[in-house]
Amino acid sequence: SAVISQKPSRDICQRGTSLTIQCQVDSQVTMMFWYRQQPGQSLTLIATANQGSEATYESGFVIDKFPISRPNLTFSTLTVSNMSPEDSSIYLCSVAPGAKGEQYFGPGTRLTVT
Amino acid sequence: TQLLEQSPQFLSIQEGENLTVYCNSSSVFSSLQWYRQEPGEGPVLLVTVVTGGEVKKLKRLTFQFGDARKDSSLHITAAQPGDTGLYLCAGVSGTYKYIFGTGTRLKVLA
């Protein structure tokens, strides 16, 4: 298993600004994942972050809008750039440390863009 | 595009009732996971099923993986208010390839 913390837990930001979300894991993991979730709805994968290489983005998500850093095996950041109200959502990071690919999620960051 | 459809989308039941949530796809998965998410928290893994036809029990929860590994069900017996939450299935294909279902929001009334 893994214990994941995220900062901030929530934020209210103005249109046009950027927010960086931090994700810290209590053990070393190869892959980290970033998801977006509208309240009460399912998860949409933004990107997969492997330490030491560029993140892999899913269709509809681009690096200029959602730059990701992965400086070591326990930490990652996701930046939401040039925010608009459509970026208001919950952002979750997760890891899958075991052989079965079972994911462990952080508590999420609730972002509101005004 | 792979899709995982869950039904029902919403379910509100009385404490003590039974319910079944379905997770269906036209794609084959190597395994399927079920998660429960409560407000303000991330999803928490309940179970992983790997073999076609596999049945796993977790107290009052029974999970089944379809024979063809395209679908799954979650049955809750004698639901309790603590079962309230968003239930998500996730199909796994390949390494680190996850497709999350559309979600089922369950509310159990005392």
Side-chain angles (χ1 to χ4, degrees):
Chain A
S1 66
V3 178
I4 302 171
S5 60
Q6 283 185 236
K7 282 195 231 183
S9 59
R10 58 177 60 228
D11 207 342
I12 300 173
C13 301
Q14 290 199 340
R15 181 196 300 259
T17 62
S18 298
L19 175 72
T20 295
I21 302 168
Q22 299 179 10
C23 179
Q24 180 76 51
V25 190
D26 69 340
S27 57
Q28 294 185 340
V29 293
T30 304
M31 305 293 284
M32 294 179 80
F33 306 90
W34 286 98
Y35 288 88
R36 185 167 71 182
Q37 182 183 33
Q38 296 293 329
Q41 296 188 22
S42 189
L43 278 64
T44 301
L45 181 64
I46 298 171
T48 302
N50 192 358
Q51 195 271 332
S53 62
E54 293 283 331
T56 301
Y57 289 82
E58 297 297 303
S59 175
F61 298 96
V62 295
I63 188 170
D64 289 346
K65 175 68 175 176
F66 297 100
I68 289 171
S69 78
R70 185 79 205 275
N72 57 54
L73 290 171
T74 64
F75 187 78
S76 178
T77 67
L78 169 77
T79 299
V80 187
S81 304
N82 188 24
M83 290 184 285
S84 66
E86 292 70 38
D87 295 319
S88 297
S89 192
I90 300 167
Y91 291 85
L92 295 147
C93 68
S94 75
V95 300
K100 290 185 179 179
E102 298 164 339
Q103 291 190 74
Y104 297 88
F105 286 85
T109 295
R110 183 180 286 266
L111 171 62
T112 302
V113 184
T114 61
Chain B
T1 303
Q2 292 180 305
L3 289 174
L4 263 179
E5 296 285 342
Q6 286 185 235
S7 61
Q9 205 174 353
F10 301 98
L11 192 55
S12 181
I13 61 172
Q14 292 294 132
E15 183 176 3
E17 292 184 10
N18 302 331
L19 67 118
T20 301
V21 177
Y22 299 93
C23 174
N24 294 298
S25 175
S26 58
S27 302
V28 176
F29 295 105
S30 56
S31 65
L32 195 134
Q33 302 166 351
W34 284 93
Y35 295 82
R36 180 171 67 213
Q37 184 179 23
E38 298 185 26
E41 299 179 11
V44 175
L45 180 71
L46 296 174
V47 79
T48 300
V49 285
V50 178
T51 307
E54 181 177 3
V55 176
K56 277 193 175 178
K57 291 192 174 184
L58 185 67
K59 297 183 181 178
R60 295 175 294 99
L61 278 60
T62 301
F63 305 85
Q64 183 161 9
F65 202 10
D67 291 341
R69 306 207 315 276
K70 293 182 180 181
D71 53 82
S72 181
S73 64
L74 157 61
H75 182 79
I76 301 179
T77 303
Q80 298 178 0
D83 296 326
T84 293
L86 176 67
Y87 287 80
L88 295 161
C89 62
V92 184
S93 56
T95 305
Y96 301 124
K97 297 292 289 183
Y98 304 91
I99 303 295
F100 273 85
T102 49
T104 295
R105 180 168 290 284
L106 171 66
K107 186 167 187 178
V108 182
L109 304 169

